Amino acid sequence: MAKWTPKHEAPEPLEGPVVATITGGTILWFVLFLVQLPFYGWFDDHGHLWWLWTCLAGAGLGLIGIWYVRGRDAALKRAAAAAGRGDAAEGTAS
């Protein structure tokens, strides 16, 4: 069977409110952890304790995600500002 190759370029990635999305997901994981915490004994008795720790891990990884996307967002804004200054400097040099 022949290897499939695309016949057109891939579309540009969508940019949206990434920081807000990751923050919302992190809050959701942490709330799920807090909601399940009073039932620790039940989860332990039934072998479902990993549900609790999964929510805590999701919240912890979400904090790393927030740190990452905030840095990425700041870098994109710096690059856009530098590109804008470069265009303005070229226009005044003429």
Side-chain angles (χ1 to χ4, degrees):
M1 181 173 244
K3 182 179 177 184
W4 180 80
T5 55
K7 302 206 183 313
H8 58 280
E9 290 186 32
E12 291 292 320
L14 296 174
E15 289 293 332
V18 180
V19 176
T21 302
I22 300 299
T23 302
T26 302
I27 291 170
L28 181 62
W29 278 114
F30 190 67
V31 166
L32 287 171
F33 170 74
L34 292 177
V35 166
Q36 293 178 5
L37 198 55
F39 304 102
Y40 184 91
W42 185 89
F43 284 122
D44 194 24
D45 293 343
H46 291 88
H48 297 301
L49 200 54
W50 63 272
W51 290 4
L52 188 72
W53 302 124
T54 299
C55 293
L56 188 60
L61 290 172
L63 290 175
I64 295 170
I66 292 170
W67 170 77
Y68 178 81
V69 296
R70 287 185 70 202
R72 178 184 178 273
D73 194 41
L76 288 173
K77 287 179 182 176
R78 281 193 308 269
R85 283 190 307 244
D87 292 343
E90 289 174 8
T92 58
S94 299

